[in-house]
Each structure stands twice: as C-alpha cells, then as structure tokens.
Amino acid sequence: SGARVRRASNKRLPEYLERGVDVKFTDVAGLGKIRLELEEIVKFFTHGEMYRRRGVKIPGGILLCGPPGVGKTLLAKAVAGEAGVNFFSISASQFVEIYVGVGASRVRALYQEARENAPSVVFIDELDAVGRERGLIKGSGGQERDATLNQLLVSLDGFEGRGEVITIASTNRPDILDPALVRPGRFDRKIFIPKPGLIGRMEILQVHARKKPMAEDLDYMAVASMTDGMVGAELANIVEIAAINMMRDGRTELTTDDLLQAAQIEERGMLDRKDRSLETWRQVAINEAAMAVVAVNFPDMKNIEFLTINPRAGRELGYVRVKMDHIKFKEGMLSRQSILDHITVQFAPRAADELWYGEDQLSTIWAETSDNARSAARSLVLGGLSDKHHGLNNFWVADRINDIDVEALRILNMCYERAKEILGRNRTLMDEVVEKLVQKKSLTKQEFFTLVELYGSSKPMPPSI
Ligand code: ADP
C-alpha cells in the first residue's frame, strides 16, 4: 500500500529531534542520590576526552527503570539540557510496526541522525516494547520485533567515539529485557527511579509551584502527605488543576486548599458541585468530624491525613482520609482490637447523629458506614476473633446462623456505645471541627490536630471492650 511505501522510506526523522533542550536537573525533584549518577552521565559528554585518555569506558546505554510518570523522560532531557547536547527521542512502541522492516529501518535512521547531530542523547521510551527477550513472541509480529531489536543492538555497538552519542532508555520491566541488551557495552548501567516518598512529593510540588502564583504560607507538606502513592506526573497535574480552579474563581493566588482539592480531583474524579443548604453542610460535617474525632483515639487509625465535606461525584458525602498501616492491612495482621476500633469509627456518624439530632431524627446519612460496621462485625465473628471463643480454639463454629448474628449484634452494640461515649466527652472538639468544616469545607491534618490539641478530651481509652 501507499502508506507502507511512505513509511518505509521515511528516513529522516526530524520530529524526534530537540535542539537546545532547556530542561535542567533543577526541574526534576525528589531524586536524592540518584542525581549524582546522572551528573556523571553529563560528565561523559562534558569531560569525555578526560575519560577516554584515562581509559575509562563510557557506557553506551543507560537504563532508567521505574513506573510510569516518575520523571524518566524528564531526566533524560535534563541530561541533554545540562550537557548542552541534542536530544532525540522515540517511543519503542513506535518501532514495532505491522510491516516487516520498518522498525529496523527507523532505528537505523534514528541513530544516523543522532550521529550526524552529535553530541546527542538518544532517548528510547518503553524499551521493553521492543527489547523483550527474543523468541517470546511468536508469529510475524515477533519476527518484526526481533529484526528491530537486532538493529538496535547493532546501533548500540556501532560507535567508535563513544561519548558522542549516549542512549538512555526507560522501562518499567528491566526483568524481561533480552539479555543481549544488557550486556557490557550496551545497556550496562541501570538506574532505578522509585515513586517519590513524602519529602520527594513535597519537592516535586515545589518545583511545579515555581512558575505559579503560590500563597506564601502554602502548606506543601499537607499536600504531600495526602498524595501518598502518587508520582511526579500526577503531582504536576494537581498544580495545573489547582491553577485552573483559581483562574475560574477569579483569584490571584494558589492556596493549600486549592491544591488539596485538586489532589482529590486527580485521585477521585471531578467534584460534584451540587448546591447544599447550610443545614446539609452541617449534617455532613458532623458525619465526617465524628469519624475523625473517634478515630484519633485508636492507635491504628489516629493517622488522619485529611477531612473534607466537599461532595464527590458519586454518592459519597465527604471524606476522612485515615492512613492505615498498609502492610498489616494487606497481610491480614490487623488485631482483633483494631477491627473493633474500625467498627467503632464506622459507627461514629450514626452515634453523632443521635447525639446531635436526637434519636427520632436519625437520618440515613450514615447508612453506608453502618453497613461497613455490620460486615466488619460479621467477619470478626466468622473469622474466629470474637470474645465468645477468644482464647479457646480455632474450631468454634456457629451452630446456627443466628449465633453469628447474635454475637455480631453484641459487638456492634458495644462499639456503638463506645463511639457515643467518645463523642460525648469530645463535644467541644466536635463543635469546633464541625464549624471549621462548614466554613472551609476541608481541613488539613495539621488544622485538625491543632483542634484536637486544644479541645480534645485526653482521657485514655480502655485497652479493650
Ligand atoms: P516517565 O518518563 O517516568 O513516564 P515523565 O518524565 O514523562 O515520566 O513525567 C511526566 C511529567 O511529570 C514531567 O514532564 C513532569 O512535568 C512531571 N514529573 C514527573 N516526575 C517528576 C519529578 N521527579 N520532578 C518534577 N516533575 C516531574
């Protein structure tokens, strides 16, 4: 076909070239010591002669390994920017064409171009798309890919003046690469870029804030701590979303709240901007405040990251982000006590409704969390962790379904009373949190804990029910 001919003869690939890259290491944040390794790569360009004179071999290829969005592409660009060399990039998935021979000829053309414009960085994104171990893919697709991979190997080997063209490739799967690719002289250097930690996320937010009108007292730590698990690309997005919202509201400064809300949008989808009456806002605030106020009493749940009463898309009312010990949670190591605490927290909205609005006013606002409490209580009984046989043996089985329900109900009642007790002696704290929530719609970790310090009841909880 015509397309085939055109593609196959598309030898010059100017669209992959970037001259005068202006990305610098200061644009990439949260790298810690990894930065030193990359600075060395820059030296291969700037001090190449010195390396060669001393017989130090310059690597032909560097592999940046890590999940999507952590900044691998940005880093490769920063290397070119710092060294002041040209930057060629291509995604390896673009190599893999339907027509045999196209991928290989693209690789050849790319390297020819890079050499003509040396010194240069060749960046290959998603190397695993083409660099998967040979023979793993059967059929003509596999054949094509093998041809491309072979050409890549030839191109990597083909330089006399090493240091003039350095290839940087990114992959999330270094483990499945063809062994030939990682042999000495090819991609013989691996650099792992992990997801950023708390401090890393803070630094990344700060980098992206540089070009935006940020409020002077912006609490980057608050935003960093509620974006656990997010990567640079997502954090960059949060700053953009926040800026758009600021513009829309006709404001001139980005605040902590803007970023926190943007973080939620990034994480959970667009806000549902329903209008609510003041009374509804208050009711939701009581609901969310109650969970947080009860949760701070329990060791596994006191790590409250964030509170909001902003409505989400979907049916959620608000959102209290409690940070659990993930490892424990995943491995099912939560103790009986933590499960009881969890049930108590889930019942807090219902208990608060009773305390603040009275028994006959009970609404259905807490229906979802009460359901959570019920199912947790049932699994506690079924899982053999309830009091009834605690300390006996693992062979306890309910004779009838009824036994399970009776026991679950007993647990639920105890937890409910406990939630009421905690809320009852924290009325002032509740009122303060509710008022702030209604006023500001969201509270950061720090704002919440300041109120806990000021108004919380310090009476320690009994260790067990
Ligand atoms: P990857 O190549 O690892 O998938 P990218 O480099 O394409 O990730 O990241 C996409 C964007 O996310 C970058 O252009 C940048 O705006 C932002 N970003 C990612 N990581 C970082 C970081 N460590 N520091 C600053 N910004 C980052």
Side-chain angles (χ1 to χ4, degrees), residues 83-141:
V85 303
N86 290 318
F87 182 78
F88 291 85
S89 73
I90 189 164
S91 169
S93 54
Q94 291 173 258
F95 284 154
V96 187
E97 299 278 343
I98 312 157
Y99 304 111
V100 174
V102 174
S105 76
R106 284 196 166 198
V107 174
R108 206 178 310 118
L110 176 70
Y111 274 92
Q112 193 184 329
E113 191 96 356
R115 228 170 314 169
E116 282 166 14
N117 291 280
S120 52
V121 166
V122 170
F123 178 66
I124 303 176
D125 201 9
E126 304 172 76
L127 178 65
D128 41 286
V130 72
R132 214 172 265 262
E133 195 163 353
R134 279 168 294 191
L136 287 184
I137 303 173
K138 298 276 177 278
S140 63

Side-chain angles (χ1 to χ4, degrees), residues 16 25 50 69 75 77 99 105 118 121 132-133 137 179 184 186 218 237 287 320 327 356 374 380 385 402 406 415 437:
Y16 307 130
F25 282 143
M50 189 182 88
L75 263 178
K77 271 194 188 172
Y99 304 111
S105 76
V121 166
R132 214 172 265 262
E133 195 163 353
I137 303 173
R186 293 171 182 164
L218 205 126
N237 218 13
N287 185 81
V320 175
I327 307 273
W356 267 259
R374 266 188 292 278
L380 191 69
L385 281 169
N402 201 31
V406 167
C415 292
L437 272 176

Side-chain angles (χ1 to χ4, degrees), residues 80-385:
E82 293 279 345
V85 303
N86 290 318
F87 182 78
F88 291 85
S89 73
I90 189 164
S91 169
S93 54
Q94 291 173 258
F95 284 154
V96 187
E97 299 278 343
I98 312 157
Y99 304 111
V100 174
V102 174
S105 76
R106 284 196 166 198
V107 174
R108 206 178 310 118
L110 176 70
Y111 274 92
Q112 193 184 329
E113 191 96 356
R115 228 170 314 169
E116 282 166 14
N117 291 280
S120 52
V121 166
V122 170
F123 178 66
I124 303 176
D125 201 9
E126 304 172 76
L127 178 65
D128 41 286
V130 72
R132 214 172 265 262
E133 195 163 353
R134 279 168 294 191
L136 287 184
I137 303 173
K138 298 276 177 278
S140 63
Q143 225 177 27
E144 161 61 2
R145 209 196 40 93
D146 287 355
T148 311
L149 176 56
N150 286 335
Q151 181 58 52
L152 181 59
L153 294 172
V154 169
S155 300
L156 281 169
D157 290 342
F159 298 113
E160 286 305 313
R162 275 266 169 80
E164 289 291 288
V165 176
I166 290 182
T167 308
I168 301 180
S170 82
T171 179
N172 192 21
R173 297 296 309 273
D175 52 313
I176 59 165
L177 292 180
D178 195 286
L181 268 175
V182 290
R183 221 161 267 158
R186 293 171 182 164
F187 290 105
D188 49 6
R189 190 174 289 213
K190 278 194 205 128
I191 300 176
F192 287 89
I193 323 275
K195 283 190 176 188
L198 181 67
I199 303 294
R201 292 195 299 278
M202 194 180 74
E203 290 172 1
I204 293 171
L205 287 164
Q206 282 168 337
V207 159
H208 288 275
R210 281 189 318 212
K211 290 174 203 137
K212 299 276 190 303
M214 309 305 267
E216 219 162 272
D217 62 348
L218 205 126
D219 188 352
Y220 290 98
M221 203 36 133
V223 186
S225 65
M226 77 150 297
T227 46
D228 194 22
M230 286 198 193
V231 294
E234 289 160 318
L235 296 166
N237 218 13
I238 286 173
V239 176
E240 293 307 320
I241 294 172
I244 289 168
N245 284 347
M246 174 195 76
M247 299 290 287
R248 192 181 293 146
D249 295 353
R251 287 178 289 116
T252 53
E253 249 188 10
L254 275 175
T255 64
T256 308
D257 272 354
D258 287 330
L259 287 189
L260 289 173
Q261 282 183 24
Q264 286 192 303
I265 294 170
E266 176 68 25
E267 186 175 315
R268 306 168 68 87
M270 284 300 287
L271 281 180
D272 168 12
R273 293 181 174 275
K274 260 196 307 242
D275 278 341
R276 285 171 163 174
S277 69
L278 187 62
E279 197 38 54
T280 312
W281 281 117
R282 205 176 105 81
Q283 203 178 0
V284 179
I286 290 174
N287 185 81
E288 300 304 307
M291 290 183 87
V293 163
V294 171
V296 279
N297 288 275
F298 305 137
D300 278 344
M301 264 162 283
K302 64 168 187 278
N303 203 351
I304 286 144
E305 294 290 330
F306 188 66
L307 271 96
T308 184
I309 54 172
N310 273 321
R312 309 286 105 214
R315 57 207 176 82
E316 259 175 284
L317 297 159
Y319 179 41
V320 175
R321 189 183 176 105
V322 176
K323 202 166 167 182
M324 297 270 268
D325 184 333
H326 282 301
I327 307 273
K328 266 201 210 164
F329 197 68
K330 234 172 45 197
E331 311 206 327
M333 277 158 47
L334 285 180
S335 67
R336 168 175 174 276
Q337 188 61 54
S338 339
I339 300 172
L340 290 173
D341 295 348
H342 168 73
I343 296 171
T344 308
V345 171
Q346 296 297 315
F347 259 152
R350 194 190 159 164
D353 229 24
E354 189 187 324
L355 290 174
W356 267 259
Y357 291 97
E359 186 113 46
D360 51 348
Q361 283 286 310
L362 285 182
S363 66
T364 51
I365 197 168
W366 35 259
E368 191 179 330
T369 54
S370 295
D371 271 353
N372 294 343
R374 266 188 292 278
S375 65
R378 267 181 80 86
S379 27
L380 191 69
V381 178
L382 290 168
L385 281 169

Side-chain angles (χ1 to χ4, degrees), residues 27-29 67-74 204 207-208 232-233 236:
D27 297 316
V28 198
V70 292
K72 299 183 295 295
T73 310
L74 192 66
I204 293 171
V207 159
H208 288 275

Side-chain angles (χ1 to χ4, degrees), residues 35 65 73 75 83-85 144 175 189 311 390 410 448-449 465:
R35 181 167 164 168
C65 312
T73 310
L75 263 178
V85 303
E144 161 61 2
D175 52 313
R189 190 174 289 213
H390 191 65
R410 190 182 71 85
F448 174 69
F449 278 97
I465 292 176

